[in-house]
């Protein structure tokens, strides 16, 4: 693989700027959310978006799919959704000329580039688990045959943090498959005013397609080449290990964390830091990249204790304490 140069970076940065502008034609504000989505895309991982209804999570994902010239599918997860509704099923077909019958695999909506799993926590664990192999291996096994998913393959799942009645919380093993847990907050007053003006007037323009799937795959390969220093590597290792309660762990971790992050957290933090560096036009990751992504990478990988719940401590509070307790030097 050829090395990337500053000229290459500047050329692709111009395309990424066009991509942001295209998404901005449908989405007002939410700059940090859009950036984290693009980081997840460049790092080749899946993202879990969490926010109350009406904040444009579905519209954001749909706009990203349109701007990327990628095949896009949306699945509304409900309590009666079955695994075959996602993965596909076998159909019995008959050749009317010969009378011969055979089974043919009918691919489900997971066979796409960008899958929106809307309200993933509304469906039972059996159906949630149907996505595990697809997310981790990028394959689907059915009736003893393994089917490869198209590349790139990107799952964006949404969940509502408020309504817990009739929901099935995602197990830790599945949460760990998401590269980033992105929080979608309320817009600012000016952004909300712009949203009201934009969505109650004439129909908005269609989101232009500005980037092909091959370009996305090339950028994902470039992310792996971004430099990550040994000092940063040691820092990430110490920080992930310090998130596990036990001897030598910071006081806040021992008190507020029941189960810490695994090695996949360190892998995710490094890859997303590299992706953020590339997105900002740099060929080397920095301390600021890691700090910016520590919360979305680790907040869903920490199992908090009863003491944390009783004292109103969130996973983000614990991550902030972790960054203070484990300095770079």
């Amino acid at each position: 693989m050829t090395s990337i140069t500053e000229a290459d970076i500047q050329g692709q940065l111009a395309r990424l700027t066009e991509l942001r502008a295209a998404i901005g034609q449908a989405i007002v504000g939410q700059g940090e959310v859009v950036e984290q989505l693009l980081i997840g895309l460049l790092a080749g991982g899946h993202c879990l978006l969490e926010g109350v209804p009406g904040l444009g999570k579905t519209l954001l994902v749909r706009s990203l799919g349109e701007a990327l010239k990628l095949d896009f599918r949306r699945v509304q997860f409900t309590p009666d959704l079955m695994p075959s509704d996602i993965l596909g099923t076998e159909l019995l077909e008959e050749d009317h000329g010969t009378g011969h019958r055979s089974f043919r695999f009918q691919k489900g909506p997971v066979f796409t580039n960008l899958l929106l799993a809307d309200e993933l926590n509304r469906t039972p664990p059996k159906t949630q688990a149907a996505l595990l192999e697809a997310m981790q291996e990028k394959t689907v096994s059915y009736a003893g045959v393994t089917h490869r998913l198209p590349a790139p393959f990107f799952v964006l799942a949404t969940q509502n943090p408020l309504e817990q009645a009739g929901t099935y919380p995602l197990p830790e093993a599945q949460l760990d498959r998401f590269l980033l847990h992105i929080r979608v907050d309320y817009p600012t007053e000016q952004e909300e005013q712009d949203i009201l003006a934009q969505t109650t007037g004439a129909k908005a323009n269609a989101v232009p397609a500005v980037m092909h799937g091959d370009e996305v795959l090339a950028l994902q390969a470039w992310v792996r080449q971004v430099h990550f220093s040994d000092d940063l590597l040691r820092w990430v290792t110490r920080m992930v290990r310090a998130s596990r309660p036990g001897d030598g762990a910071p006081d806040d971790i021992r008190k507020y964390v029941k189960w810490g992050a695994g090695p996949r957290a360190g892998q995710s933090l490094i890859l997303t830091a590299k992706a953020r560096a590339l997105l900002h036009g740099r060929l080397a990751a920095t301390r600021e990249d890691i700090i910016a992504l520590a919360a979305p990478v680790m907040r869903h990988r920490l199992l908090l204790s009863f003491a944390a719940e009783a004292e109103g401590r969130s996973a983000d509070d614990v991550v902030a304490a972790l960054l203070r307790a484990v300095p770079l030097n």
Side-chain angles (χ1 to χ4, degrees), residues 136 171-179 262 264-265 268 300-301:
Q136 185 64 27
E172 285 72 20
Q174 185 154 6
L175 282 173
D176 200 32
R177 262 65 178 187
F178 286 102
L179 185 73
R264 192 178 279 120
S268 300
H300 58 300
R301 294 182 163 99

Side-chain angles (χ1 to χ4, degrees), residues 55-93:
L55 296 184
K57 300 185 296 295
T58 302
L59 177 62
L60 173 58
V61 176
R62 185 180 296 277
S63 301
L64 179 63
E66 293 173 356
L68 286 173
K69 293 185 183 178
L70 297 178
D71 186 27
F72 170 81
R73 302 281 180 87
R74 176 181 181 270
V75 177
Q76 181 66 48
F77 281 72
T78 57
D80 60 348
L81 196 72
M82 299 297 291
S84 58
D85 296 328
I86 303 170
L87 305 180
T89 187
E90 284 191 331
L91 301 177
L92 181 62
E93 292 186 336

